[in-house]
Amino acid sequence: VAPSSLKVTSTAKGKVSLSWTNVAGEDGYTVFYSTSKNGTYKKLDGTKADVAKLTASLTSGKTYYFKVRAYAKADGETVWGSHSFVYTATAPESLKLVSAASKSAKKATLGWEAANADGYEIYMASGKNGTYKKVKTITDSSKTAYTKSSLKAGTTYYFKIRAYKTVDDAKLYGEFGNVKTVRIK
């Protein structure tokens, strides 16, 4: 019997967590992944938990294919179940800000090139080594500009952006690109 309901549950910084429905009587799981649907699959270790999770490093912009297989130990031998269906997950490419300026009082305008993504998240910090906080989620992937208003005149702000794709209600994030600074008018 194959594990069912294989899906992405969360992602962060080029990593993905998978979950699936456990098979009764199993002793563990093995997860396989490939960068080609019909290519060679590499083995990763799974876990035995009610909602099992696995983390695998992802390279931004690549598509990954996952399969899960349950196993049980009987009389010193390993008995394998069937593979789950193939699940596809694509991490967006790294996204860079191409422009950042303060063209009017208390505002910063940012620009970037469109990516193969479902949307973008923009982060801002008030110091070079400060904590970045998300200031905007853009759900229209054709947009390539954003203006942050209500900023303090004479202050320098630091901005970065990342792209995301939505898969099974979870977000696969691309890597942050460069940091752009803007001194507000």
Side-chain angles (χ1 to χ4, degrees):
V1 176
S4 60
S5 304
L6 177 61
K7 66 180 183 177
V8 170
T9 56
S10 65
T11 60
K13 295 184 181 177
K15 295 187 183 292
V16 61
S17 292
L18 304 174
S19 74
W20 57 86
T21 301
N22 286 351
V23 175
E26 87 299 312
D27 287 317
Y29 300 91
T30 302
V31 177
F32 300 87
Y33 77 99
S34 176
T35 55
S36 170
K37 185 174 184 177
N38 297 316
T40 302
Y41 280 76
K42 295 180 183 177
K43 177 181 162 183
L44 297 165
D45 290 327
T47 62
K48 182 182 178 185
D50 289 338
V51 179
K53 292 183 180 178
L54 166 96
T55 302
S57 295
L58 295 179
T59 300
S60 294
K62 281 193 176 179
T63 299
Y64 291 84
Y65 301 86
F66 297 94
K67 296 193 277 189
V68 179
R69 194 175 189 190
Y71 65 85
K73 303 245 179 193
D75 299 325
E77 292 187 23
T78 302
V79 179
W80 292 95
S82 302
H83 283 286
S84 65
F85 63 91
V86 175
Y87 182 85
T88 306
T90 302
E93 63 265 23
S94 176
L95 191 61
K96 292 182 180 179
L97 291 168
V98 294
S99 64
S102 181
K103 298 176 183 177
S104 58
K106 299 183 181 181
K107 293 182 180 181
T109 300
L110 310 171
W112 59 90
E113 293 181 7
N116 180 13
D118 292 328
Y120 312 104
E121 291 183 349
I122 298 171
Y123 287 74
M124 180 183 81
S126 57
K128 186 174 184 179
N129 297 316
T131 302
Y132 282 85
K133 293 183 180 177
K134 183 168 55 173
V135 294
K136 182 68 175 175
T137 299
I138 297 171
T139 58
D140 180 354
S141 63
S142 67
K143 290 197 180 233
T144 57
Y146 168 70
T147 299
K148 172 70 176 142
S149 57
S150 302
L151 299 173
K152 188 176 179 182
T155 302
T156 299
Y157 293 91
Y158 299 80
F159 294 92
K160 61 185 179 178
I161 187 171
R162 67 180 177 179
Y164 70 85
K165 286 191 173 190
T166 303
V167 180
D168 288 342
D169 298 325
K171 288 183 179 178
L172 283 172
Y173 291 102
E175 296 172 11
F176 285 106
N178 57 338
V179 172
K180 286 280 193 179
T181 60
V182 180
R183 185 161 178 84
I184 305 303
K185 289 185 176 186

